[in-house]
Amino acid sequence: MSEKTLWQKPKKFDTNIVVIGGGSAGLVTAYIAAAVKAKVTLVEKHKLGGDCLNTGCVPSKALIRSAKFLSQLSRSAEFGIKKAEAEFDFAEVMERVQNVIKTIEPHDSIARYSELGVDVLTGSAKIVSPWQVEVTTASGLQTISTRSIVIAAGARPFVPPIPGLDEVGYLTSDTIWALRKKPKRMLVLGGGPIGCELAQAFARLGIEVTQVEMLPRIMMREDVEISDIVTAKFRQEGIKVLVGHTAKQFMLENGEKILSTEHQGQEVRIAFDEVLLAIGRTANVSGYGVEAMGITLSPRKTIAINAFQETNYPNIYACGDVAGPYQFTHTAAHQAWYAAVNALFGSFRKFKTDYSVIPWATFIDPEVARVGLNEQEAREQGVAYEVSVYGIDDLDRAITDNEAHGFVKVLTVPNKDKILGVTIVGEHAGDLIAEFVLAMKHGLGLNKILATIHIYPTMAEANKYVAGVWKRNHQPKKLLAWIERYHAWRRG
């Protein structure tokens, strides 16, 4: 049956784009559409800002900052200060997190986006045809006709079907921020970025943290030595890191919460007071018409899109966590640009989403940041590469700051300075990676970085020094031998 027999296309449209979801992807889509004078309607059923502002990036980084302050106090002797102490109340730390959210909230507010020209509706959206969206608000139901629809419905924490989980109760990265009473023992299920960030932060706030990961190591997307560095740091700070442990069953025994895990064929039981689930996120693909419309899903249960962010309906687009493949705020915003531009101007020209240079960081201590390939990915993909490594323990600024640890590792095309990927481990890694992101995006090699003045003394000099490592490894030996003879001749 053709679309024409299923739905009647309106002769006129109320709006150019209806955006479903007011998180990072939805806000950027709406912003771009309004900036180019299109009429855009943004529908959000909860709060604008989505996961990033309300339950993700912003609250987690606020918590990490408080926890890092306490960690630095505990290191006072390293800085020539005999003793430094801090009194703190767990509830007040968690309230500070909410205050940070409230401070940033106006950036993503209804008032701001209304001023920009976006028609913001608070309510639930439902796609009822390729050109119509029903919106249920507090004042009732309205149907909006639109030339294009952009789905930016986000994702939610994955809750695994482990027996007994509902009985013991659980927290996720969505609900942890309501916690005010400090638990004595916290179990963190998951060894990815979210699990690692929150495990370390809560441990630094004086909670006994056990981190459980079923895979052989935490931070599995990174190279092995990075997992080893992070694991050693976590254990040094008192976190009990259990890898190769598969969660089998939760139970209550004599009023105590227990997780039964399997490790190398043996049962390992872990007692805890609160469990935080941090084992991935699930795209929000139900409740707004995806099933009824027959919008295709990918094998990962995200909305399937093509190179232009289009779904199987050419005027319905998807971007952000609901589409993947990356679940970062910055990639959601990146995809949103393509979704908005293609939705508005695709009849003239369409743009393929550029995934060639995707950076990300895990905000643990030490920070881990990456762009492009790492060694394990290069090997898996059969990509030939050379490695240049600069140890940050040698960097003057890192030494003065007592942060002389970590490294910058650059993968390059063999015998060329073209950058394939960079991994940085150390203080401010998430900031330092930006120079390499720029270099890769615009085709600049290590020679150009080496020829760029970097302020002394800064952590950013590490980027120049790793380029120097590459240069020393590619010295023109024959030319240098000739120059040596030339200098000898000049001496007479």
Side-chain angles (χ1 to χ4, degrees), residues 7 62 78-79 100 166 209 241 250 262 269-271 273 298 322 411 427 473 479 488:
W7 302 285
E78 295 179 27
F79 302 94
V100 170
D166 288 333
V209 174
V241 181
F250 287 94
E262 182 181 321
R269 293 159 69 90
I270 304 160
D273 301 308
S298 74
V322 76
L411 273 61
E427 193 77 353
N473 291 337
L479 176 61

Side-chain angles (χ1 to χ4, degrees), residues 445-491:
L446 291 179
N447 279 315
K448 293 287 178 64
I449 290 176
L450 185 61
T452 301
I453 297 173
H454 292 65
I455 295 172
Y456 178 89
T458 60
M459 295 294 291
E461 285 185 292
N463 295 348
K464 180 170 183 171
Y465 292 151
V466 77
V469 170
W470 179 89
K471 193 71 172 178
R472 285 193 298 276
N473 291 337
H474 294 82
Q475 288 180 342
K477 293 180 181 178
K478 290 183 179 179
L479 176 61
L480 288 173
W482 183 90
I483 291 173
E484 185 178 19
R485 292 196 300 272
Y486 167 76
H487 289 312
W489 173 76
R490 291 275 289 172
R491 292 193 300 270

Side-chain angles (χ1 to χ4, degrees), residues 138-195:
S139 57
L141 176 69
Q142 60 178 298
T143 301
I144 302 169
S145 61
T146 177
R147 288 201 68 91
S148 299
I149 298 167
V150 176
I151 299 170
R156 65 190 184 279
F158 173 65
V159 178
I162 301 173
L165 181 57
D166 288 333
E167 284 71 25
V168 299
Y170 59 88
L171 298 166
T172 69
S173 58
D174 279 0
T175 60
I176 190 78
W177 311 111
L179 193 64
R180 292 296 179 272
K181 183 180 178 182
K182 185 170 84 170
K184 182 174 185 294
R185 301 166 299 179
M186 180 179 287
L187 170 64
V188 176
L189 201 59
I194 295 173

Side-chain angles (χ1 to χ4, degrees), residues 59-60 63-64 66-68 70 88 90-91 93-94 97 171-173 175-188 194-210 234 237-239 274-276:
S60 63
L63 182 73
I64 287 167
S66 295
K68 184 167 186 174
L70 291 173
F88 74 95
F90 181 79
V93 171
M94 298 301 283
V97 171
L171 298 166
T172 69
S173 58
T175 60
I176 190 78
W177 311 111
L179 193 64
R180 292 296 179 272
K181 183 180 178 182
K182 185 170 84 170
K184 182 174 185 294
R185 301 166 299 179
M186 180 179 287
L187 170 64
V188 176
I194 295 173
C196 286
E197 287 183 359
L198 295 180
Q200 186 178 48
F202 284 117
R204 288 178 164 186
L205 291 168
I207 297 171
E208 295 175 20
V209 174
T210 301
F234 278 17
E237 294 191 3
I239 300 171
E274 295 282 1
V275 57
L276 169 63

Side-chain angles (χ1 to χ4, degrees), residues 25 39 44-45 60 75 106 114-115 118 156 168 182 223 301 321 353 368-369 371 404-405 428 447 470 481 485:
K39 186 167 172 46
E44 170 54 53
K45 64 181 179 179
S60 63
R75 297 169 52 200
S114 296
E115 284 179 13
V118 179
R156 65 190 184 279
V168 299
K182 185 170 84 170
D223 287 334
K301 301 301 180 186
D321 288 2
T353 308
V368 179
V371 62
H405 56 82
H428 300 298
N447 279 315
W470 179 89
R485 292 196 300 272

